Amino acid sequence: MPGVVRRDSSCKISPGVEFAIAVPSSYVSVVSTLVDRTRLVSSLARACGIFRVDEIVIIDDSLNDSELVKKENNDVGGASSSSTSELMHRLLTYLDTPQYLRRRLIPHHADLAYAGKMPTLDAPHQLRKTDRATYREGAVVAHTPQGAMVDVGLDEPVHVHTNKAPDVNERVTVHMDDAKQTYAIVSRDTPREQLGTYWGYRVRRCRGLSECLYKDNNEKRRYDWVIGTSEHGKAYAPVDDITPPRAALKRRAKDKKTRVVLLFGGVRGLEALYMLDQARCGPLLPSSAERKGDGAEAAHLCDDYLNFCPRQGSRTIRTEEAILIGLALLRDPVANALSSSSSSSEARTSK
């Protein structure tokens, strides 16, 4: 097609590994102005895009949300009425949304006053009009008797045949068969599963560590491999091997999928985050677990509890720095460890 560039992304991932990070909402509390908070969230989004993070979990660690909102209004001169977790969620969602869909999907809000200053993710799902690809992100603009009209960032919306059309202005992923002029709504996970292409991140807010890590009344873990970061953790170096826990290997052998989460504790550390969650929601650990009352039990929630900078030259490591260090050191080694373990297990089975 003249004037159209085929954009087959070189950003390939391990399709069976879903990688998440969890960050407390106090991540942005170290600065007081909206423009500085916007900058911090932007750096978080860029780090997650560069290292192919599939989910960002925002843990609300504010002690009193109403007091927090009042404080923020004073700090930013009344420009924002959101809590820190709401602010982070709104900005992260804005950055992940393709530019051609933002006006339709993202309502105007004071939190977005400096959104224009944030660098774009330029992720594979944020296509330009001249790009031709197998999948595009879109938004439903109208319903038809046979399906829906979907804006996918081209000159005209495409018609999607479906028995149950999503709501108007709902974001969808569309399979594009330009040769046959047929289009279908698919799961957002499909580009990753079918092509191994990174397709941006999801954003989830939760009230604490318990809601982050568990579902069904703390009876079922959301992730197969939980990695905590702390200055009290085990020293980790790039040359060290990292071994997946048995639960992660079992899930991968059964479903060919593994969910991994990397926990960051923010200014006060993961131990303080655990203590706050314990005060809000009660104990996360069985009564037989060792309890020291200082948050050290947080290590028992993790399969690995690591210190990435045991010989740091600065007294403190800022959370945005810790995120970059952690992702650089672990993103590929974790995926490689799971892939190699899976390959070894399949080889043993075939014998």
Side-chain angles (χ1 to χ4, degrees), residues 14-270:
S14 301
V17 180
E18 295 183 22
F19 200 94
I21 70 167
V23 184
S25 61
S26 58
Y27 169 76
V28 296
S29 297
V30 295
V31 293
S32 59
T33 65
L34 181 58
V35 64
D36 285 335
R37 291 181 175 184
T38 302
R39 176 184 56 80
L40 278 179
V41 175
S42 175
S43 68
L44 170 62
R46 286 286 300 169
C48 290
I50 290 168
F51 291 103
R52 310 176 309 285
V53 170
D54 303 299
E55 181 186 38
I56 304 175
V57 185
I58 305 165
I59 302 175
D60 186 354
D61 61 341
S62 59
L63 294 174
N64 188 314
D65 226 30
S66 61
E67 291 180 4
L68 183 64
V69 171
K70 183 177 179 181
K71 179 180 183 300
E72 284 190 345
N73 284 337
N74 293 334
D75 288 342
V76 299
S80 172
S81 59
S82 301
S83 67
T84 48
S85 62
E86 289 171 332
L87 172 70
M88 290 180 66
H89 187 278
R90 184 169 287 110
L91 290 173
L92 288 169
T93 301
Y94 177 90
L95 282 167
D96 178 74
T97 304
Q99 290 88 330
Y100 57 85
L101 294 178
R102 288 174 181 170
R103 186 169 295 181
R104 186 181 298 277
L105 297 181
I106 309 293
H108 287 287
H109 195 279
D111 289 347
L112 301 173
Y114 300 101
K117 296 181 179 294
M118 297 189 293
T120 62
L121 292 185
D122 202 22
H125 68 294
Q126 296 179 326
L127 296 163
R128 299 171 179 84
K129 185 184 295 187
T130 54
D131 294 332
R132 188 174 63 184
T134 307
Y135 300 95
R136 293 184 75 100
E137 288 296 283
V140 176
V141 298
H143 292 151
T144 69
Q146 295 81 28
M149 300 301 295
V150 181
D151 178 6
V152 292
L154 302 177
D155 291 327
E156 299 291 338
V158 299
H159 185 256
V160 174
H161 289 272
T162 177
N163 294 326
K164 188 176 181 181
D167 295 335
V168 171
N169 288 336
E170 182 174 340
R171 179 173 165 178
V172 294
T173 303
V174 178
H175 179 264
M176 309 286 293
D177 191 336
D178 295 319
K180 296 181 179 179
Q181 293 290 299
T182 58
Y183 310 96
I185 294 175
V186 297
S187 165
R188 188 175 172 179
D189 295 327
T190 302
R192 172 232 298 269
E193 294 172 352
Q194 296 297 319
L195 303 179
T197 300
Y198 177 64
W199 209 247
Y201 55 73
R202 291 183 172 88
V203 188
R204 179 167 66 92
R205 290 171 60 196
C206 57
R207 292 186 64 249
L209 271 176
S210 56
E211 191 177 330
C212 170
L213 298 177
Y214 295 91
K215 55 185 176 180
D216 300 331
N217 297 320
N218 292 355
E219 293 182 1
K220 187 176 180 181
R221 288 215 314 185
R222 294 179 184 271
Y223 303 96
D224 307 297
W225 191 353
V226 179
I227 304 172
T229 63
S230 171
E231 62 179 338
H232 306 295
K234 176 186 174 183
Y236 176 82
V239 294
D240 293 340
D241 290 329
I242 188 162
T243 305
R246 186 175 300 177
L249 296 178
K250 283 185 176 180
R251 169 76 184 279
R252 189 165 180 81
K254 180 181 178 182
D255 302 330
K256 303 299 181 184
K257 291 183 179 180
T258 310
R259 301 198 72 203
V260 182
V261 63
L262 188 57
L263 301 177
F264 294 93
V267 178
R268 296 184 294 271
L270 202 54

